[in-house]
Amino acid sequence: MDAETELRAAAKRRAKSKEAFDRDDAEVRRLLVKWRAEGVGPSDMARWTGFTREWVAKIAPDPSRNATKKRVTRIIQKSATKAASAPTEIRVNGPSIGGAIEVKSTHRRD
């Protein structure tokens, strides 16, 4: 067998394997979403599939929770002693505990 024939055969087998993996992966994801909507918990599904609970929860989030997380924005005026400073915008991604907090100055220098 020469190099070209051997490489072509291996590439062909790889393409078939990838197609099968993608098809089966899509089916697993579809079933995770379906059964999560039926009330099956992510811990159980993780145990049955061998995935982590966090991964299952990411793929199939709890349908009873609001799908879109609300973003809270507050404008805080800095103290009068720092008159040159502009307001600071604080964004809190919530409602989860330990949500990310982004702080940035809205001060513009012209």
Side-chain angles (χ1 to χ4, degrees), residues 57-109:
K58 181 178 177 182
I59 298 303
D62 186 356
S64 66
R65 290 188 67 188
N66 187 359
T68 58
K69 292 184 177 180
K70 294 182 180 178
R71 200 161 219 197
V72 177
T73 304
R74 295 184 186 136
I75 304 296
I76 299 174
Q77 296 291 338
K78 290 193 176 182
S79 67
T81 58
K82 297 180 181 178
S85 298
T88 300
E89 183 176 326
I90 299 178
R91 295 179 186 267
V92 180
N93 294 332
S96 64
I97 296 173
I101 297 177
E102 173 188 338
V103 178
K104 69 177 185 178
S105 174
T106 57
H107 179 70
R108 295 182 186 199
R109 296 182 184 186

Side-chain angles (χ1 to χ4, degrees), residues 21-22 24-38 40-43 45-46 49-64 67:
F21 173 81
D22 291 343
D24 294 341
D25 186 57
E27 177 68 7
V28 168
R29 289 171 183 256
R30 186 188 68 76
L31 289 171
L32 288 173
V33 171
K34 173 189 170 187
W35 288 108
R36 185 69 174 123
E38 295 290 324
V40 178
S43 295
M45 290 191 289
T49 60
F51 301 132
T52 64
R53 184 219 170 278
E54 291 76 14
W55 189 86
V56 171
K58 181 178 177 182
I59 298 303
D62 186 356
S64 66

